[in-house]
Amino acid sequence: MKFFIDSANIDEIRDAASMGVLDGVTTNPSLVSKEGRNYRELLDEILEVVDGPISAEVVATDKEGILKEGRALAAIHENIVVKIPLIPEGIKALNVLSDEGIKVNVTLCFSPTQALIAAKAGAAYISPFVGRLDDISHDGMDLIEQIVTIYDNYAFDTEVLVASIRHPLHLAQAAEMGADVATIPYSTITKIFKHPLTDSGLERFLSDWKESGQQLI
Ligand code: E4P
Protein backbone atom coordinates (compact mmCIF):
# COMPACT_ATOMS: atom_id res chain seq x y z
CA MET A 1 0.00 0.00 0.00
CA LYS A 2 1.34 3.43 -0.93
CA PHE A 3 1.32 6.28 1.60
CA PHE A 4 0.82 9.80 0.27
CA ILE A 5 0.59 12.87 2.47
CA ASP A 6 -2.41 15.14 1.93
CA SER A 7 -0.75 18.48 2.54
CA ALA A 8 0.78 21.55 0.92
CA ASN A 9 2.79 22.39 4.03
CA ILE A 10 6.47 21.88 3.30
CA ASP A 11 7.43 21.25 6.96
CA GLU A 12 4.80 18.53 7.28
CA ILE A 13 5.89 17.01 3.97
CA ARG A 14 9.57 17.09 5.00
CA ASP A 15 8.83 15.46 8.37
CA ALA A 16 6.69 12.71 6.82
CA ALA A 17 9.34 12.11 4.13
CA SER A 18 12.04 11.76 6.80
CA MET A 19 10.25 8.63 8.09
CA GLY A 20 11.12 6.94 4.81
CA VAL A 21 7.60 5.67 4.16
CA LEU A 22 6.25 8.46 1.99
CA ASP A 23 5.47 7.56 -1.62
CA GLY A 24 3.77 10.75 -2.84
CA VAL A 25 1.84 13.93 -2.09
CA THR A 26 -1.66 15.20 -2.83
CA THR A 27 -2.55 18.87 -2.74
CA ASN A 28 -5.76 20.72 -3.48
CA PRO A 29 -6.68 24.41 -3.88
CA SER A 30 -7.81 24.70 -0.24
CA LEU A 31 -4.57 23.22 1.11
CA VAL A 32 -2.48 25.47 -1.16
CA SER A 33 -4.46 28.57 -0.22
CA LYS A 34 -3.82 27.89 3.52
CA GLU A 35 -0.07 28.19 2.91
CA GLY A 36 -0.27 31.70 1.39
CA ARG A 37 2.63 30.88 -0.94
CA ASN A 38 3.33 31.03 -4.66
CA TYR A 39 1.95 27.78 -6.11
CA ARG A 40 4.80 27.19 -8.53
CA GLU A 41 7.50 27.74 -5.90
CA LEU A 42 5.66 25.47 -3.50
CA LEU A 43 5.40 22.70 -6.11
CA ASP A 44 9.11 23.01 -6.90
CA GLU A 45 9.97 22.57 -3.20
CA ILE A 46 7.65 19.58 -2.84
CA LEU A 47 9.20 18.00 -5.94
CA GLU A 48 12.64 18.37 -4.34
CA VAL A 49 11.56 16.69 -1.10
CA VAL A 50 9.50 13.78 -2.48
CA ASP A 51 10.48 11.65 -5.46
CA GLY A 52 7.05 10.24 -6.26
CA PRO A 53 3.65 11.24 -7.66
CA ILE A 54 2.67 14.80 -6.65
CA SER A 55 -0.97 15.66 -7.39
CA ALA A 56 -1.51 19.26 -8.48
CA GLU A 57 -5.10 20.33 -9.07
CA VAL A 58 -6.57 22.37 -11.92
CA VAL A 59 -9.08 25.13 -11.15
CA ALA A 60 -10.65 25.46 -14.62
CA THR A 61 -14.04 23.75 -15.00
CA ASP A 62 -14.36 23.65 -18.81
CA LYS A 63 -12.65 21.06 -21.01
CA GLU A 64 -10.34 23.48 -22.84
CA GLY A 65 -9.36 25.27 -19.63
CA ILE A 66 -8.67 21.98 -17.85
CA LEU A 67 -6.55 20.81 -20.80
CA LYS A 68 -4.53 24.04 -20.78
CA GLU A 69 -3.91 23.97 -17.03
CA GLY A 70 -3.36 20.20 -16.99
CA ARG A 71 -0.72 20.33 -19.73
CA ALA A 72 1.04 23.25 -18.03
CA LEU A 73 1.13 21.39 -14.70
CA ALA A 74 2.31 18.16 -16.31
CA ALA A 75 5.11 20.04 -18.11
CA ILE A 76 6.62 21.13 -14.77
CA HIS A 77 7.96 17.67 -13.89
CA GLU A 78 7.40 14.03 -14.78
CA ASN A 79 6.23 13.34 -11.21
CA ILE A 80 3.32 15.76 -11.44
CA VAL A 81 -0.08 14.07 -11.57
CA VAL A 82 -2.85 16.37 -12.79
CA LYS A 83 -5.80 16.43 -10.42
CA ILE A 84 -9.17 16.96 -12.12
CA PRO A 85 -12.65 17.19 -10.54
CA LEU A 86 -15.20 14.50 -11.33
CA ILE A 87 -17.46 16.58 -13.60
CA PRO A 88 -18.45 15.92 -17.24
CA GLU A 89 -15.95 18.49 -18.58
CA GLY A 90 -13.28 16.90 -16.40
CA ILE A 91 -13.96 13.45 -17.85
CA LYS A 92 -13.76 14.85 -21.40
CA ALA A 93 -10.38 16.44 -20.60
CA LEU A 94 -9.20 13.26 -18.84
CA ASN A 95 -9.70 11.24 -22.05
CA VAL A 96 -7.45 13.61 -23.99
CA LEU A 97 -4.79 13.95 -21.29
CA SER A 98 -4.54 10.21 -20.70
CA ASP A 99 -4.13 9.67 -24.48
CA GLU A 100 -1.24 12.15 -24.29
CA GLY A 101 0.37 10.04 -21.56
CA ILE A 102 -0.40 12.52 -18.76
CA LYS A 103 -1.33 10.89 -15.45
CA VAL A 104 -4.60 12.11 -13.97
CA ASN A 105 -5.99 11.83 -10.44
CA VAL A 106 -9.76 12.25 -10.54
CA THR A 107 -10.89 13.96 -7.38
CA LEU A 108 -14.16 14.59 -5.53
CA CYS A 109 -15.47 11.06 -6.09
CA PHE A 110 -18.49 10.18 -3.95
CA SER A 111 -20.12 7.23 -5.75
CA PRO A 112 -19.18 3.91 -7.38
CA THR A 113 -20.51 4.96 -10.77
CA GLN A 114 -18.40 8.12 -10.70
CA ALA A 115 -15.40 5.88 -10.03
CA LEU A 116 -16.42 3.59 -12.91
CA ILE A 117 -16.65 6.40 -15.46
CA ALA A 118 -13.29 7.84 -14.35
CA ALA A 119 -11.62 4.45 -14.80
CA LYS A 120 -13.18 3.98 -18.25
CA ALA A 121 -11.90 7.42 -19.27
CA GLY A 122 -8.33 6.49 -18.30
CA ALA A 123 -7.74 7.88 -14.78
CA ALA A 124 -4.45 6.84 -13.20
CA TYR A 125 -5.98 7.40 -9.74
CA ILE A 126 -9.50 7.78 -8.36
CA SER A 127 -9.89 9.77 -5.14
CA PRO A 128 -13.00 8.80 -3.16
CA PHE A 129 -13.47 11.17 -0.17
CA VAL A 130 -14.33 8.96 2.81
CA GLY A 131 -14.36 11.59 5.59
CA ARG A 132 -16.71 13.92 3.75
CA LEU A 133 -19.16 11.01 3.22
CA ASP A 134 -18.97 10.13 6.93
CA ASP A 135 -19.74 13.81 7.64
CA ILE A 136 -23.14 13.42 5.95
CA SER A 137 -23.89 10.11 7.66
CA HIS A 138 -22.87 7.81 4.80
CA ASP A 139 -20.21 5.21 5.52
CA GLY A 140 -17.28 6.42 3.40
CA MET A 141 -15.48 3.10 3.66
CA ASP A 142 -18.41 1.28 2.00
CA LEU A 143 -17.57 3.26 -1.12
CA ILE A 144 -13.97 2.05 -1.04
CA GLU A 145 -15.15 -1.56 -0.84
CA GLN A 146 -17.48 -1.02 -3.82
CA ILE A 147 -14.80 0.62 -5.96
CA VAL A 148 -12.18 -2.04 -5.17
CA THR A 149 -14.70 -4.75 -6.19
CA ILE A 150 -15.71 -2.97 -9.41
CA TYR A 151 -12.11 -2.31 -10.46
CA ASP A 152 -11.16 -5.93 -9.69
CA ASN A 153 -14.16 -7.25 -11.68
CA TYR A 154 -12.95 -5.51 -14.83
CA ALA A 155 -9.20 -5.40 -14.15
CA PHE A 156 -9.02 -1.60 -14.39
CA ASP A 157 -5.52 -0.20 -13.90
CA THR A 158 -6.85 2.89 -12.09
CA GLU A 159 -5.45 3.02 -8.54
CA VAL A 160 -7.85 3.53 -5.64
CA LEU A 161 -6.49 6.49 -3.66
CA VAL A 162 -8.41 6.81 -0.40
CA ALA A 163 -8.83 10.53 0.32
CA SER A 164 -10.36 12.70 3.03
CA ILE A 165 -8.94 10.37 5.67
CA ARG A 166 -9.70 11.64 9.18
CA HIS A 167 -8.23 9.03 11.53
CA PRO A 168 -6.07 5.86 11.64
CA LEU A 169 -9.15 3.59 11.50
CA HIS A 170 -9.86 4.84 7.96
CA LEU A 171 -6.30 3.87 7.07
CA ALA A 172 -6.57 0.41 8.64
CA GLN A 173 -9.88 -0.29 6.87
CA ALA A 174 -8.49 0.96 3.55
CA ALA A 175 -5.55 -1.44 3.92
CA GLU A 176 -7.87 -4.35 4.78
CA MET A 177 -9.92 -3.60 1.66
CA GLY A 178 -6.84 -3.60 -0.53
CA ALA A 179 -6.89 0.07 -1.57
CA ASP A 180 -3.77 0.96 -3.55
CA VAL A 181 -3.01 4.29 -1.89
CA ALA A 182 -4.02 6.28 1.18
CA THR A 183 -3.47 10.02 1.23
CA ILE A 184 -3.09 10.89 4.87
CA PRO A 185 -3.17 14.29 6.56
CA TYR A 186 -0.16 15.00 8.80
CA SER A 187 -2.38 15.04 11.92
CA THR A 188 -3.43 11.44 11.18
CA ILE A 189 0.14 10.33 10.50
CA THR A 190 1.08 11.50 14.01
CA LYS A 191 -1.95 9.68 15.47
CA ILE A 192 -0.68 6.33 14.08
CA PHE A 193 1.98 6.39 16.80
CA LYS A 194 -0.38 7.19 19.64
CA HIS A 195 -1.18 4.19 21.81
CA PRO A 196 -1.39 4.31 25.60
CA LEU A 197 0.28 0.89 25.89
CA THR A 198 3.19 2.05 23.72
CA ASP A 199 3.62 5.15 25.88
CA SER A 200 3.29 3.40 29.25
CA GLY A 201 5.43 0.47 28.04
CA LEU A 202 8.25 2.77 27.00
CA GLU A 203 8.04 4.71 30.24
CA ARG A 204 8.38 1.45 32.20
CA PHE A 205 11.32 0.17 30.10
CA LEU A 206 13.16 3.44 30.59
CA SER A 207 12.57 3.66 34.34
CA ASP A 208 13.59 -0.02 34.83
CA TRP A 209 16.72 0.62 32.79
CA LYS A 210 17.58 3.69 34.83
CA GLU A 211 17.12 1.70 38.06
CA SER A 212 19.49 -1.01 36.77
CA GLY A 213 22.28 1.59 36.61
CA GLN A 214 23.52 0.05 33.33
CA GLN A 215 25.01 1.94 30.36
CA LEU A 216 24.11 0.92 26.80
CA ILE A 217 26.99 2.68 25.05
C1 E4P B 1 -7.73 14.56 -1.65
O1 E4P B 1 -6.85 14.47 -2.45
C2 E4P B 1 -8.10 15.78 -0.92
O2 E4P B 1 -7.01 16.67 -0.96
C3 E4P B 1 -8.39 15.55 0.54
O3 E4P B 1 -8.15 14.24 0.93
C4 E4P B 1 -9.62 16.21 1.04
O4 E4P B 1 -9.75 15.94 2.41
P1 E4P B 1 -10.70 16.78 3.38
O5 E4P B 1 -12.09 16.25 3.24
O6 E4P B 1 -10.15 16.50 4.75
O7 E4P B 1 -10.59 18.22 2.98
Side-chain angles (χ1 to χ4, degrees):
M1 183 187 213
K2 284 175 251 178
F3 275 19
F4 290 1
I5 184 168
D6 194 31
S7 175
N9 180 283
I10 199 69
D11 295 329
E12 291 181 353
I13 295 169
R14 259 187 230 289
D15 192 47
S18 72
M19 291 176 200
V21 294
L22 192 64
D23 301 295
V25 181
T26 53
T27 64
N28 65 40
S30 306
L31 293 170
V32 171
S33 134
K34 265 206 309 201
E35 298 307 308
R37 296 198 39 199
N38 174 277
Y39 190 27
R40 180 57 205 268
E41 282 173 18
L42 188 57
L43 278 179
D44 285 342
E45 267 186 64
I46 296 173
L47 285 159
E48 258 177 49
V49 177
V50 181
D51 183 19
I54 313 293
S55 286
E57 190 160 340
V58 299
V59 287
T61 53
D62 63 294
K63 179 185 169 188
E64 289 312 316
I66 294 172
L67 286 176
K68 199 171 160 200
E69 290 180 357
R71 288 176 182 135
L73 287 169
I76 294 174
H77 194 280
E78 59 182 7
N79 282 350
I80 294 282
V81 173
V82 177
K83 207 169 170 192
I84 291 181
L86 215 159
I87 55 176
E89 292 294 294
I91 295 297
K92 291 175 199 167
L94 160 61
N95 253 302
V96 178
L97 292 174
S98 72
D99 281 352
E100 291 174 9
I102 293 174
K103 286 197 165 176
V104 174
N105 172 3
V106 178
T107 189
L108 291 168
C109 172
F110 294 96
S111 78
T113 44
Q114 286 181 324
L116 181 57
I117 201 165
K120 279 186 72 70
Y125 301 93
I126 185 71
S127 288
F129 279 35
V130 295
R132 292 193 196 184
L133 279 171
D134 289 355
D135 289 345
I136 58 159
S137 304
H138 282 256
D139 188 341
M141 295 313 299
D142 281 351
L143 175 60
I144 303 303
E145 200 158 30
Q146 286 175 298
I147 299 173
V148 168
T149 303
I150 290 168
Y151 284 7
D152 279 355
N153 285 348
Y154 298 99
F156 282 118
D157 291 333
T158 307
E159 294 190 45
V160 180
L161 193 170
V162 182
S164 188
I165 282 181
R166 299 277 159 79
H167 45 70
L169 189 56
H170 277 151
L171 178 59
Q173 290 172 326
E176 276 178 343
M177 289 170 186
D180 303 283
V181 191
T183 188
I184 319 165
Y186 185 76
S187 58
T188 303
I189 295 176
T190 60
K191 280 183 196 148
I192 293 172
F193 297 98
K194 296 233 175 298
H195 197 290
L197 291 178
T198 303
D199 296 342
S200 61
L202 180 61
E203 205 177 306
R204 171 103 168 262
F205 283 155
L206 294 180
S207 71
D208 287 348
W209 183 255
K210 203 171 167 191
E211 219 168 276
S212 77
Q214 304 232 44
Q215 292 289 325
L216 191 69
I217 46 171

